[in-house]
Amino acid sequence: MALSERDKRVLTEIQEWEMKLYSYEPNDFEWTYEKYLEKSFSLLPENIQEQFFSTLDNWLFHLHALIQGSNMQQDAKERILTAGRVFNPELISIEDLNHLRIDQLQYIADQQIARHRLYSFAQGGIAGTGSSLMLGADIPAIAVINLRVVQLIAMTYGIEVNTPYEMMTSLKVFHASTLPARMQGKAWEELMRELQNQEEYYFYEGKEELADVTWIEQPAKQLLKGLAIFIFRKKTIQGIPFISMAIGASANYQLTRRVSEFAHKYYQYRYLHKKEGKSL
């Protein structure tokens, strides 16, 4: 099926966004920070490193499955279908959303994205109060918010994430979107290569390991954010720790902004790839 003018316009936007990924130039501080983290982590015994990354992978897999099977996610799926029926009353399943135009799907996806960016902002602000309970729950909570928004964007573009291939792909999209900016171009290329070479979309045949030393920067940033909140939590104005709350809210919002933008571009491309065939 030929792409419409709307489709071509979105494809051009994706290609321009791709070029920004590929042309990103890290500064000296980023290189120094990366080398410091890698050197620090390399001091750990190799078996400890492998166990750490394996535990992190298992945690992500289980968290993804828990979110996907939750009542909250099923309710969100129904809301997506309800929004889709505004444009086409005959929609029955998630797969039927493929019949909508890309601008209609983008409108529905933007609703999900805006909602989850707000959740992330609010959650970060709550963690920024410095409460031990809220600060301790910050990393699991932000992981849930961002994994969930990736799943919902996928569903908006007609893709169920309950098959081995789609579950692994959504996790790889999440993983790629949380990498440092200097590494995202390579991760995007890998996603595109897998998409171009894939013949069927049920079983996953690629690399299943996600967490490695290149990804350690994101957890490190979360720990640094927690440390900053801890330091500034007693700097209050009329009893409210505005500085630490701003740190938490801003950091979490920016992370969800990056994740949702990356995931949206990927699933828009998937929609166009399916519509046009493998000639994109």
Side-chain angles (χ1 to χ4, degrees):
M1 185 186 297
L3 297 181
S4 68
E5 287 304 314
R6 291 189 194 89
D7 295 333
K8 291 176 182 177
R9 188 163 58 247
V10 172
L11 183 59
T12 299
E13 290 173 0
I14 295 171
Q15 290 168 342
E16 290 173 353
W17 175 83
E18 275 182 328
M19 290 308 298
K20 289 180 182 178
L21 284 187
Y22 297 145
S23 62
Y24 181 83
E25 290 289 340
N27 56 42
D28 291 341
F29 174 78
E30 288 177 292
W31 284 122
T32 304
Y33 183 60
E34 178 186 357
K35 289 177 182 177
Y36 173 77
L37 280 178
E38 289 183 0
K39 185 177 180 180
S40 299
F41 207 78
S42 67
L43 296 176
L44 294 173
E46 192 170 325
N47 64 319
I48 298 295
Q49 293 183 43
E50 290 176 359
Q51 185 178 359
F52 174 79
F53 292 130
S54 176
T55 301
L56 200 53
D57 277 342
N58 287 332
W59 181 71
L60 284 173
F61 281 118
H62 285 98
L63 190 60
H64 182 282
L66 185 66
I67 296 167
Q68 202 273 328
S70 68
N71 290 331
M72 182 172 62
Q73 201 74 335
Q74 297 305 313
D75 291 343
K77 182 191 293 188
E78 287 304 315
R79 286 197 298 271
I80 289 171
L81 283 170
T82 299
R85 289 183 186 119
V86 171
F87 304 110
N88 183 351
E90 297 181 3
L91 293 181
I92 297 173
S93 67
I94 286 294
E95 288 80 2
D96 292 338
L97 288 162
N98 278 306
H99 300 308
L100 298 183
R101 299 196 312 265
I102 196 164
D103 56 324
Q104 295 169 336
L105 295 175
Q106 186 168 349
Y107 173 79
I108 299 170
D110 283 344
Q111 290 182 318
Q112 303 299 326
I113 290 168
R115 186 179 292 119
H116 283 75
R117 287 180 182 178
L118 180 60
Y119 292 161
S120 190
F121 183 85
Q123 191 276 323
I126 293 170
T129 60
S131 161
S132 298
L133 179 62
M134 293 297 102
L135 200 52
D138 181 56
I139 291 179
I142 196 64
V144 167
I145 290 170
N146 287 292
L147 280 169
R148 187 166 186 257
V149 76
V150 172
Q151 291 183 7
L152 293 179
I153 292 170
M155 285 192 279
T156 299
Y157 285 89
I159 297 171
E160 285 277 17
V161 289
N162 55 5
T163 66
Y165 177 83
E166 297 302 350
M167 182 187 79
M168 194 65 219
T169 298
S170 64
L171 280 170
K172 292 194 80 169
V173 169
F174 167 78
H175 171 262
S177 65
T178 54
L179 285 171
R182 64 186 178 277
M183 299 177 184
Q184 286 187 339
K186 184 177 178 181
W188 177 264
E189 280 186 342
E190 184 179 342
L191 285 166
M192 293 296 100
R193 186 164 54 250
E194 287 189 0
L195 182 59
Q196 296 293 341
N197 295 334
Q198 193 70 21
E199 296 297 332
E200 57 92 22
Y201 298 96
Y202 188 84
F203 294 108
Y204 183 79
E205 298 176 353
K207 179 185 173 185
E208 294 188 0
E209 294 78 15
L210 293 171
D212 56 26
V213 72
T214 63
W215 195 54
I216 203 67
E217 192 169 318
Q218 186 56 49
K221 283 182 179 179
Q222 293 300 312
L223 293 175
L224 288 173
K225 179 193 70 180
L227 179 62
I229 288 172
F230 184 79
I231 292 171
F232 287 102
R233 75 191 191 286
K234 292 184 179 179
K235 305 279 187 182
T236 62
I237 300 173
Q238 295 183 342
I240 300 174
F242 282 112
I243 297 175
S244 60
M245 289 178 70
I247 291 170
S250 175
N252 284 13
Y253 177 85
Q254 290 300 325
L255 177 59
T256 301
R257 184 173 179 272
R258 286 176 57 204
V259 171
S260 56
E261 181 183 32
F262 192 103
H264 198 188
K265 297 298 184 188
Y266 175 79
Y267 285 107
Q268 280 182 324
Y269 188 90
R270 281 281 300 271
Y271 169 89
L272 297 172
H273 178 266
K274 183 175 181 180
K275 187 173 181 179
E276 178 70 3
K278 296 193 176 183
S279 60
L280 281 181

